[in-house]
Amino acid sequence: MTEFDKTLRIRVDYNNMLTTSVGEYGIDPAALDAMRLEMEAALEGVNAKHSELRWRKLHTSERANLDSIRQTAEWVRNSCECFVVLGIGGSALGPIALHQALCHLHHNELPRAKRNAPKLYVEDNIDPERMCALLDVIDLDRTIFNVITKSGSTSETMSQLLIITRLLLDRYGEDGLKEHIIATTDKEKGNLIGIARQYGLRTFIVPDGVGGRFSELCPVGLLPACVCGADIEKLLDGAAFMDELCSAEDVMKNPALVCAALEVLAMRSGANISVLMPYADSLKFMADWYAQLWAESLGKKKQEAGRVIRFGQTPVKALGVTDQHSQVQIYTDGPFDKTITFLRVERYRCEYVIPHSFDAIPSVAFLSGHTLNELITAECMATEHAVTVSGHMNKTICIPEVNEFTIGQLIMLFELQTAFAGELLGIDAFDQPGVEEGKNAAYALLGKQGYDDKLKELKNAAAKESRFII
Ligand code: PA5
């Protein structure tokens, strides 16, 4: 077993979730204690699902692919100026989050010599203006596309692929495709794998038992991260370390399980909103990735005793300190319907001293001599305090610094928290039937074969609703 750098362990401080800290709208510590048996069953339940939950062991299984990912990344770095990911949902949010966390915050704007990697674009929408805008800024000759779709058939991604393929075929003929497209998909399901084989594309496989939102630590996230220069082995190390911590048999020492239990208790008391507020621009898109993970996994309904019960918390993304000036008012004085998770960074990757420029104005001059690091940390602590004294449940995940090892931990912490929460709630956290319904309706509207009944249903609904348009 690898010796992990324990000084880089991320920690969860959940004092402020409890009544002892926030008062009557918190969780009674006795209620958490009383969950011990449920938590033990959840631990056992998740541990027993080895074959279904293959994402949990990607930190081990993906080591075998590191060399080929690195070789392909090297080829990409040497061959192009732009690397474009085509994907959506879990096939895009992971690459975006890793890029923002592990690269220069203005990666694409840096001169090539300082970047040592191509520019990265992750195209996760089918807005025609966005496609036109992309084609305006890339040079096809110097661009490699990574089309990522686990199912191999998602309409959004496939329509992007159709567009890009046509452009490439028209310019280079069939041989050009393998020089410009890398496929990341399931080994047999869907259409992409067949296309990849037909045209001899470089191909990476999303393993079985790894759903889109749990796929960040397989080639979905690893290849784009490696292209941009991240140490992908350290990502896996971080995930392995957190997996080890979250396998603790004493459930009260298991960070993901304690977080899951707290959120479930909060949900049971009506807190149906989950805010994630990182105090670091580098973690801004981890909040987007978390939002999908938490919403799509836990937003479920099931029949129990003849009635429908609905589960889940609506995720809200906030950024410290930016959103102190837009959202924090409702986190302090608004209703007790939410939990807030702060991500606090202990060491930023650079330091900036605020200089002395207006010493004659004391109400500005007090800032001079401090660092921006001190300022953002003070504001994070101050917001935690303000939210706590106003009685709102909150917890803080302390991250020693943002790097591959800590991001690997964070990913695994949130993934396991989600799996444990699903188990505690008694729902399937790994499907997304509501998303499928929308996909089917879109197929019907676009005339896909086999969706005639769905089209009728949509037409009937449209006829009814049109009476109320003003
Ligand atoms: O988590 C999920 O499974 C989904 O959000 C998918 O990632 C999303 O629908 C895209 O699917 P695919 O990767 O199959 O194109």
Side-chain angles (χ1 to χ4, degrees):
M1 171 58 76
T2 323
E3 219 12 74
F4 299 118
D5 183 352
K6 305 220 167 43
T7 63
L8 289 176
R9 173 178 173 174
I10 65 176
R11 301 245 170 212
V12 183
D13 178 345
Y14 64 93
N15 277 294
N16 296 339
M17 291 293 287
L18 305 175
T19 45
T20 39
S21 189
V22 291
E24 71 170 301
Y25 292 102
I27 292 163
D28 185 342
L32 182 61
D33 278 343
M35 271 196 93
R36 184 178 283 275
L37 285 181
E38 261 185 272
M39 290 164 75
E40 283 169 359
L43 179 64
E44 217 170 285
V46 168
N47 286 346
K49 290 185 181 155
H50 274 313
S51 53
E52 289 159 67
L53 310 186
R54 298 263 280 275
W55 52 265
R56 185 171 180 181
K57 293 298 167 197
L58 289 173
H59 58 73
T60 305
S61 57
E62 282 303 315
R63 286 180 201 264
N65 293 328
L66 289 182
D67 281 348
S68 83
I69 292 175
R70 285 186 187 121
Q71 277 159 18
T72 302
E74 186 62 18
W75 166 72
V76 170
R77 271 199 296 275
N78 292 333
S79 326
C80 71
E81 178 54 24
C82 296
F83 186 64
V84 178
V85 170
L86 307 176
I88 199 162
S91 296
L93 292 164
I96 294 171
L98 289 179
H99 178 246
Q100 179 81 3
L102 301 174
C103 292
H104 191 284
L105 291 175
H106 292 295
H107 174 92
N108 282 3
E109 283 81 48
L110 282 178
R112 174 77 202 217
K114 284 194 176 172
R115 229 186 311 125
N116 193 27
K119 294 179 183 174
L120 179 81
Y121 296 95
V122 182
E123 298 301 300
D124 64 347
N125 203 355
I126 44 169
D127 179 339
E129 293 184 18
R130 178 135 161 216
M131 179 56 80
C132 292
L134 175 77
L135 296 174
D136 280 343
V137 296
I138 61 171
D139 168 2
L140 214 51
D141 289 345
R142 305 270 300 134
T143 300
I144 291 177
F145 299 87
N146 183 193
V147 53
I148 307 180
T149 164
K150 155 87 179 170
S151 64
S153 55
T154 301
S155 299
E156 293 87 344
T157 307
M158 295 313 277
S159 56
Q160 292 174 326
L161 179 64
L162 286 166
I163 293 169
I164 297 304
T165 302
R166 187 72 263 154
L167 293 173
L168 293 169
L169 284 174
D170 288 350
R171 189 171 301 183
Y172 311 106
E174 286 193 5
D175 282 350
L177 295 191
K178 59 175 173 290
E179 296 307 317
H180 290 272
I181 302 180
I182 301 168
T184 304
T185 191
D186 187 87
K187 66 178 186 308
E188 55 192 4
K189 286 189 219 128
N191 302 311
L192 182 57
I193 190 68
I195 296 170
R197 287 203 186 110
Q198 184 181 345
Y199 292 98
L201 306 183
R202 286 173 175 80
T203 302
F204 288 92
I205 299 301
V206 185
D208 292 340
V210 180
R213 53 195 181 274
F214 292 87
S215 66
E216 203 163 352
L217 298 174
C218 78
V220 171
L222 296 182
L223 177 62
C226 192
V227 165
C228 294
D231 183 339
I232 51 176
E233 192 167 7
K234 288 230 164 65
L235 270 170
L236 300 184
D237 288 348
F241 181 38
M242 184 52 70
D243 188 19
E244 196 177 294
L245 295 172
C246 295
S247 302
E249 275 184 24
D250 179 351
V251 290
M252 294 301 172
K253 295 217 162 75
N254 181 326
L257 189 43
V258 170
C259 288
L262 290 166
E263 295 300 338
V264 166
L265 283 168
M267 281 181 229
R268 287 177 184 161
S269 72
N272 51 25
I273 296 172
S274 161
V275 179
L276 186 65
M277 189 165 187
Y279 270 74
D281 275 57
S282 60
L283 300 176
K284 181 176 176 177
F285 295 120
M286 286 304 296
D288 285 54
W289 169 78
Y290 166 80
Q292 185 212 10
L293 182 70
W294 200 238
E296 216 166 81
S297 303
L298 302 187
K300 300 286 158 64
K301 60 182 181 192
K302 73 171 183 191
Q303 289 275 354
E304 220 171 71
R307 64 192 186 101
V308 176
I309 313 189
R310 290 172 184 270
F311 298 92
Q313 279 179 322
T314 303
V316 173
K317 307 169 281 184
L319 177 66
V321 304
T322 308
D323 288 313
Q324 285 176 200
H325 298 270
S326 80
Q327 297 184 27
V328 164
Q329 177 61 31
I330 200 160
Y331 301 161
T332 52
D333 292 353
F336 293 101
D337 58 357
K338 60 185 77 62
T339 67
I340 301 155
T341 302
F342 295 104
L343 300 183
R344 194 200 298 169
V345 174
E346 284 160 359
R347 275 186 310 282
Y348 291 84
R349 289 168 286 195
C350 66
E351 187 179 80
Y352 208 101
V353 181
I354 304 170
H356 290 264
S357 302
F358 301 115
D359 283 350
I361 312 173
S363 57
V364 174
F366 77 97
L367 295 167
S368 300
H370 288 292
T371 59
L372 284 179
N373 311 52
E374 287 168 339
L375 188 57
I376 194 168
T377 303
E379 294 206 25
C380 179
M381 291 164 79
T383 305
E384 287 165 17
H385 177 73
V387 166
T388 303
V389 294
S390 65
H392 288 267
M393 287 181 277
N394 66 94
K395 61 183 179 317
T396 298
I397 299 177
C398 301
I399 302 168
E401 68 184 28
V402 175
N403 61 31
E404 287 85 346
F405 186 65
T406 55
I407 292 297
Q409 290 178 63
L410 195 61
I411 291 167
M412 186 52 81
L413 176 70
F414 282 141
E415 288 183 347
L416 281 169
Q417 173 188 313
T418 305
F420 288 134
E423 199 72 17
L424 287 167
L425 294 170
I427 54 167
D428 183 349
F430 307 103
D431 64 357
Q432 53 281 327
V435 180
E436 303 305 330
E437 174 60 30
K439 282 188 185 178
N440 292 339
Y443 292 153
L445 288 170
L446 290 171
K448 189 170 176 178
Q449 264 184 1
Y451 290 83
D452 297 347
D453 288 347
K454 183 60 66 187
L455 188 59
K456 268 189 218 137
E457 184 188 312
L458 282 156
K459 282 187 175 154
N460 289 341
K464 262 189 250 152
E465 280 154 17
S466 62
R467 290 181 293 130
F468 298 106
I469 295 175
I470 53 171

